[in-house]
Amino acid sequence: MSSLADAAAAEVMREFSENGCVIRRHILSAAEIATLQTAAGNLARVAECNPRDAFYNYYLPHRTNKGVLYDVYHRDPDFRRVAESPNLISFIRRVLGKEFYLFENSVVYKPRVKENAVPWHQDFMYTKGDPEKAIVWIALDKIDESNGCLHVLPGTHKSGALPRLEVKGETHAKRTNRRYADERKAVLVIMEPGDALICNQYLLHSFKRVDVDAKR
């Protein structure tokens, strides 16, 4: 039994190392998913009406124009409980090792604006001298082409930080130079509610534009 578990762990680490991302299916229960869906909806509604919430002076301010609610681990006990769930922690440790810390956390959704596409980019492009990071993304809805699923370019993390630029006036202004993103090699990441994805921060990824009625 131990050898089977070790083999599975080795395969997960190999996939993450080779592709820059790996998925664990159904990491959350139906009850946990429903709880987070309600919590995310409540947070978004409050933020869209009043972005200066009670935590505004202590944590990152929400950016509803970009569809990002920041520091939900600190702002909402439901998100904190799920972030500390044994299933999730076990998966992260299998990929990243036993020692890690939470650098930033957020809820990401399609904002109610026309420009909700996210161009090719690497995460934390503008931080320098920091330890390398990984992104853990948990789907709260079914994510497919109809609502702007994630597109990735496997293996691009191996190039490290790529040249970047900023396009003034765009909703998502910071992006990687498109000459480094070969869209012919893009892979769609289809996810069910409760699936978890871990990505290397340097993995090139993007989201397509969808109608504003798409679910969070």
Side-chain angles (χ1 to χ4, degrees):
M1 194 69 168
S2 177
S3 61
L4 290 175
D6 291 343
E11 175 58 23
V12 166
M13 293 181 67
R14 185 205 65 76
E15 184 175 348
F16 180 73
S17 176
E18 182 64 25
N19 295 327
C21 61
V22 63
I23 290 180
R24 165 78 183 276
R25 301 292 182 184
H26 309 301
I27 204 164
L28 298 187
S29 68
E32 288 173 322
I33 295 165
T35 295
L36 293 190
Q37 287 173 334
T38 299
N42 291 339
L43 283 171
R45 280 189 290 273
V46 171
E48 287 165 1
C49 294
N50 179 25
R52 298 180 68 92
D53 66 5
F55 303 95
Y56 185 85
N57 292 326
Y58 306 98
Y59 303 123
L60 289 173
H62 300 313
R63 303 182 73 175
T64 55
N65 66 316
K66 292 190 176 184
V68 185
L69 308 175
Y70 283 110
D71 292 321
V72 294
Y73 175 91
H74 306 84
R75 283 176 156 107
D76 189 279
D78 290 324
F79 278 98
R80 185 160 55 251
R81 279 193 294 270
V82 173
E84 296 173 351
S85 68
N87 280 347
L88 180 58
I89 295 298
S90 176
F91 176 49
I92 295 172
R93 284 178 169 163
R94 179 174 288 187
V95 178
L96 304 180
K98 291 185 178 180
E99 299 296 329
F100 63 90
Y101 70 93
L102 182 65
F103 178 76
E104 182 182 295
N105 63 98
S106 58
V107 169
V108 179
Y109 62 97
K110 288 293 183 182
R112 297 181 182 279
V113 295
K114 186 176 181 180
E115 298 81 10
N116 60 22
V118 181
W120 291 103
H121 68 284
Q122 297 173 308
D123 286 330
F124 303 107
M125 294 185 296
Y126 289 81
T127 58
K128 297 181 179 180
D130 283 1
E132 189 168 307
K133 302 174 182 64
I135 292 79
V136 182
W137 182 33
I138 301 175
L140 298 185
D141 294 297
K142 180 178 176 60
I143 309 297
D144 56 26
E145 288 186 88
S146 69
N147 57 5
C149 68
L150 179 69
H151 290 62
V152 302
L153 288 170
T156 49
H157 65 296
K158 297 177 182 179
S159 298
L162 294 170
R164 55 191 182 270
L165 65 152
E166 184 168 350
V167 181
K168 299 295 184 180
E170 293 289 333
T171 304
H172 294 278
K174 297 175 182 178
R175 58 194 68 185
T176 299
N177 191 317
R178 287 193 63 180
R179 67 187 288 253
Y180 295 95
D182 186 351
E183 296 193 28
R184 297 170 299 176
K185 299 179 180 179
V187 174
L188 280 63
V189 182
I190 308 299
M191 298 175 70
E192 296 289 335
D195 290 350
L197 173 75
I198 297 184
C199 291
N200 184 289
Q201 74 172 94
Y202 296 123
L203 181 69
L204 276 172
H205 58 288
S206 68
F207 299 86
K208 301 297 184 183
R209 188 182 75 82
V210 294
D211 294 335
V212 295
D213 291 332
K215 290 183 178 180
R216 288 185 175 85

